[in-house]
Coordinates of all heavy atoms in Angstrom, one line a residue:
P201 N -25.5 18.6 -13.2 CA -24.7 18.7 -14.5 C -25.3 19.9 -15.3 O -26.5 20.0 -15.5 CB -24.8 17.4 -15.1 CG -25.1 16.4 -14.0 CD -25.9 17.2 -13.0
G202 N -24.4 20.7 -15.9 CA -24.8 21.8 -16.7 C -25.0 23.1 -15.9 O -25.1 24.2 -16.5
G203 N -25.0 23.0 -14.6 CA -25.2 24.1 -13.7 C -23.9 24.9 -13.5 O -22.8 24.6 -14.1
S204 N -24.0 25.9 -12.6 CA -22.9 26.9 -12.4 C -22.7 27.1 -10.9 O -23.7 27.0 -10.1 CB -23.2 28.2 -13.0 OG -23.4 28.1 -14.4
L205 N -21.5 27.4 -10.5 CA -21.2 27.8 -9.2 C -20.1 28.9 -9.2 O -19.3 28.9 -10.2 CB -20.7 26.6 -8.3 CG -21.6 25.6 -7.7 CD1 -20.8 24.5 -7.1 CD2 -22.5 26.3 -6.7
R206 N -20.0 29.7 -8.2 CA -18.9 30.6 -8.1 C -18.2 30.4 -6.8 O -18.9 30.6 -5.7 CB -19.4 32.1 -8.3 CG -18.2 33.0 -8.4 CD -18.6 34.5 -8.6 NE -19.0 35.1 -7.4 CZ -18.9 36.5 -7.2 NH1 -18.4 37.3 -8.1 NH2 -19.3 37.0 -6.0
L207 N -16.9 30.2 -6.8 CA -16.2 30.0 -5.6 C -15.5 31.4 -5.4 O -15.1 32.1 -6.3 CB -15.1 28.9 -5.8 CG -15.6 27.6 -6.2 CD1 -14.4 26.6 -6.3 CD2 -16.7 27.1 -5.3
S208 N -15.2 31.6 -4.1 CA -14.5 32.8 -3.6 C -13.4 32.4 -2.7 O -13.5 31.4 -2.0 CB -15.4 33.8 -2.9 OG -16.5 34.2 -3.7
C209 N -12.3 33.2 -2.8 CA -11.2 33.0 -1.8 C -10.7 34.3 -1.4 O -10.3 35.1 -2.2 CB -10.1 32.2 -2.5 SG -8.6 32.1 -1.6
T210 N -10.8 34.6 -0.1 CA -10.3 35.8 0.5 C -9.0 35.6 1.2 O -8.9 34.7 2.0 CB -11.4 36.4 1.4 OG1 -12.6 36.7 0.7 CG2 -10.9 37.8 2.0
A211 N -8.1 36.5 0.9 CA -6.7 36.4 1.5 C -6.5 37.4 2.5 O -7.0 38.6 2.4 CB -5.7 36.5 0.3
S212 N -5.7 37.1 3.4 CA -5.2 38.1 4.4 C -3.7 37.8 4.7 O -3.2 36.7 4.5 CB -6.0 38.0 5.7 OG -5.9 36.8 6.3
G213 N -3.0 38.9 5.1 CA -1.6 38.7 5.5 C -0.7 38.9 4.4 O 0.6 38.8 4.6
I214 N -1.2 39.3 3.2 CA -0.3 39.6 2.0 C -0.8 40.8 1.3 O -1.9 41.2 1.5 CB -0.2 38.4 1.0 CG1 -1.6 38.1 0.4 CG2 0.4 37.2 1.6 CD1 -1.6 37.1 -0.7
I215 N 0.1 41.5 0.5 CA -0.3 42.5 -0.3 C -0.9 41.9 -1.6 O -0.1 41.6 -2.5 CB 0.8 43.5 -0.7 CG1 1.4 44.1 0.7 CG2 0.4 44.6 -1.6 CD1 2.6 44.9 0.5
F216 N -2.2 41.6 -1.5 CA -2.8 40.7 -2.5 C -2.5 41.0 -3.9 O -2.2 40.1 -4.7 CB -4.3 40.8 -2.2 CG -5.1 39.9 -3.0 CD1 -5.2 38.5 -2.7 CD2 -5.9 40.4 -4.1 CE1 -6.0 37.7 -3.5 CE2 -6.7 39.5 -4.9 CZ -6.7 38.2 -4.6
S217 N -2.5 42.2 -4.3 CA -2.4 42.6 -5.7 C -1.1 42.2 -6.3 O -0.9 42.1 -7.6 CB -2.6 44.1 -5.9 OG -1.6 44.8 -5.2
R218 N -0.1 41.9 -5.5 CA 1.3 41.6 -6.0 C 1.5 40.1 -6.4 O 2.5 39.8 -6.9 CB 2.3 42.1 -5.0 CG 2.4 43.5 -4.8 CD 3.5 43.9 -3.8 NE 3.5 45.3 -3.5 CZ 4.4 45.8 -2.6 NH1 5.3 45.1 -2.0 NH2 4.3 47.1 -2.4
Y219 N 0.5 39.3 -6.0 CA 0.8 37.9 -6.0 C -0.1 37.1 -7.0 O -1.3 37.4 -7.1 CB 0.7 37.3 -4.6 CG 1.8 37.8 -3.7 CD1 1.6 38.9 -3.0 CD2 3.0 37.2 -3.7 CE1 2.6 39.4 -2.2 CE2 4.1 37.7 -3.0 CZ 3.8 38.8 -2.2 OH 4.9 39.3 -1.5
T220 N 0.5 36.1 -7.6 CA -0.3 35.1 -8.4 C -1.2 34.3 -7.5 O -0.8 33.9 -6.4 CB 0.6 34.2 -9.1 OG1 1.4 34.9 -10.1 CG2 -0.1 33.1 -9.8
M221 N -2.5 34.2 -7.9 CA -3.4 33.4 -7.2 C -3.9 32.2 -8.0 O -4.1 32.4 -9.2 CB -4.6 34.2 -6.7 CG -4.3 35.4 -5.9 SD -3.6 34.9 -4.3 CE -4.9 33.9 -3.6
N222 N -4.0 31.1 -7.4 CA -4.3 29.8 -8.2 C -5.5 29.1 -7.6 O -5.7 29.2 -6.3 CB -3.1 28.9 -8.1 CG -1.8 29.5 -8.6 OD1 -1.7 30.0 -9.7 ND2 -0.8 29.5 -7.7
W223 N -6.2 28.4 -8.4 CA -7.2 27.5 -8.0 C -6.7 26.1 -8.4 O -6.4 25.8 -9.5 CB -8.6 27.8 -8.6 CG -9.3 28.9 -8.0 CD1 -9.4 30.1 -8.5 CD2 -10.1 28.9 -6.8 NE1 -10.2 30.9 -7.6 CE2 -10.6 30.2 -6.6 CE3 -10.4 27.9 -5.8 CZ2 -11.4 30.5 -5.5 CZ3 -11.2 28.3 -4.7 CH2 -11.7 29.6 -4.6
Y224 N -6.7 25.2 -7.4 CA -6.5 23.8 -7.7 C -7.7 23.0 -7.3 O -8.6 23.4 -6.6 CB -5.3 23.3 -6.8 CG -3.9 23.7 -7.2 CD1 -3.4 24.9 -7.0 CD2 -3.1 22.7 -7.9 CE1 -2.2 25.3 -7.4 CE2 -1.8 23.1 -8.3 CZ -1.4 24.3 -8.0 OH -0.1 24.7 -8.4
R225 N -7.7 21.7 -7.7 CA -8.8 20.8 -7.2 C -8.2 19.4 -7.1 O -7.2 19.0 -7.7 CB -10.0 20.8 -8.2 CG -9.7 20.1 -9.6 CD -10.9 20.2 -10.5 NE -10.7 19.6 -11.8 CZ -11.5 19.7 -12.8 NH1 -12.7 20.4 -12.6 NH2 -11.3 19.1 -13.9
Q226 N -8.8 18.6 -6.2 CA -8.4 17.3 -6.0 C -9.7 16.4 -5.8 O -10.5 16.6 -4.9 CB -7.5 17.1 -4.8 CG -7.0 15.8 -4.6 CD -5.8 15.7 -3.6 OE1 -5.7 16.6 -2.7 NE2 -5.0 14.7 -3.7
A227 N -9.8 15.4 -6.8 CA -10.9 14.5 -6.7 C -10.4 13.2 -6.0 O -9.2 13.0 -5.9 CB -11.3 14.1 -8.1
P228 N -11.3 12.5 -5.4 CA -11.0 11.3 -4.6 C -10.1 10.3 -5.5 O -10.4 10.0 -6.6 CB -12.3 10.6 -4.3 CG -13.3 11.7 -4.3 CD -12.8 12.7 -5.4
G229 N -9.0 9.9 -4.9 CA -8.1 9.0 -5.6 C -7.2 9.6 -6.6 O -6.5 8.8 -7.4
K230 N -7.3 10.9 -6.8 CA -6.5 11.5 -7.9 C -5.6 12.6 -7.3 O -5.7 13.0 -6.2 CB -7.4 12.2 -8.9 CG -8.3 11.2 -9.7 CD -9.0 11.9 -10.8 CE -9.9 10.9 -11.6 NZ -10.6 11.6 -12.7
Q231 N -4.6 13.0 -8.1 CA -3.6 14.0 -7.7 C -4.3 15.4 -7.8 O -5.2 15.6 -8.6 CB -2.4 13.9 -8.6 CG -1.5 12.7 -8.3 CD -0.2 12.9 -9.0 OE1 -0.1 13.5 -10.1 NE2 0.9 12.3 -8.4
R232 N -3.8 16.3 -7.0 CA -4.3 17.6 -7.0 C -3.8 18.2 -8.4 O -2.7 18.1 -8.8 CB -3.6 18.4 -5.9 CG -4.3 19.8 -5.6 CD -3.9 20.4 -4.3 NE -4.4 19.6 -3.2 CZ -4.3 20.0 -1.9 NH1 -3.8 21.2 -1.7 NH2 -4.7 19.3 -1.0
E233 N -4.8 18.9 -9.1 CA -4.4 19.5 -10.4 C -4.7 21.0 -10.4 O -5.6 21.5 -9.7 CB -5.2 18.8 -11.5 CG -6.7 19.0 -11.4 CD -7.4 18.6 -12.7 OE1 -6.9 18.6 -13.8 OE2 -8.6 18.2 -12.6
L234 N -3.9 21.7 -11.2 CA -4.1 23.1 -11.3 C -5.3 23.4 -12.3 O -5.3 22.9 -13.4 CB -2.8 23.7 -11.9 CG -2.8 25.3 -12.1 CD1 -3.1 26.0 -10.8 CD2 -1.5 25.7 -12.8
V235 N -6.2 24.2 -11.8 CA -7.4 24.5 -12.6 C -7.2 25.9 -13.3 O -7.5 26.0 -14.5 CB -8.6 24.6 -11.6 CG1 -9.9 25.0 -12.4 CG2 -8.9 23.2 -11.0
A236 N -6.8 26.9 -12.5 CA -6.7 28.2 -13.1 C -5.7 29.1 -12.3 O -5.6 28.9 -11.1 CB -8.1 28.9 -13.1
T237 N -5.1 30.0 -13.0 CA -4.1 30.9 -12.5 C -4.4 32.3 -12.9 O -4.7 32.6 -14.1 CB -2.7 30.5 -13.0 OG1 -2.4 29.2 -12.5 CG2 -1.6 31.4 -12.5
F238 N -4.2 33.2 -11.9 CA -4.3 34.6 -12.2 C -3.0 35.3 -11.8 O -2.8 35.5 -10.6 CB -5.5 35.3 -11.5 CG -6.0 36.6 -12.2 CD1 -7.3 36.7 -12.5 CD2 -5.1 37.6 -12.5 CE1 -7.7 37.9 -13.1 CE2 -5.5 38.8 -13.1 CZ -6.9 38.9 -13.4
T239 N -2.1 35.6 -12.8 CA -0.9 36.2 -12.5 C -1.0 37.7 -12.5 O -2.1 38.2 -12.7 CB 0.2 35.8 -13.5 OG1 -0.1 36.5 -14.7 CG2 0.2 34.3 -13.8
T240 N 0.1 38.4 -12.4 CA 0.0 39.9 -12.4 C -0.2 40.3 -13.9 O -0.4 41.5 -14.1 CB 1.3 40.5 -11.9 OG1 2.4 39.9 -12.6 CG2 1.4 40.2 -10.4
T241 N 0.0 39.4 -14.9 CA -0.2 39.8 -16.3 C -1.3 39.1 -17.0 O -1.6 39.6 -18.1 CB 1.2 39.5 -17.0 OG1 1.4 38.1 -16.9 CG2 2.3 40.4 -16.4
G242 N -1.9 38.1 -16.4 CA -2.9 37.4 -17.2 C -3.4 36.2 -16.5 O -3.1 35.9 -15.3

């Protein structure tokens, strides 16, 4: 607790710069939730 991690996700098969990329997470017994989004504008 209090620490840091950096996750990476590398994509292939798309023109990456054109698409919104999202991070989701799912904890045991819970629904998948949206954590962060990077659109073409923000």
Side-chain angles (χ1 to χ4, degrees):
S204 298
L205 279 175
R206 189 177 80 155
L207 307 182
S208 301
C209 170
T210 300
S212 60
I214 61 173
I215 301 175
F216 182 77
S217 61
R218 296 182 181 178
Y219 293 92
T220 293
M221 299 299 298
N222 307 302
W223 284 100
Y224 282 79
R225 68 185 181 187
Q226 187 165 21
K230 295 189 177 181
Q231 288 190 330
R232 195 168 293 191
E233 67 168 328
L234 180 62
V235 174
T237 295
F238 202 127
T239 72
T240 55
T241 57

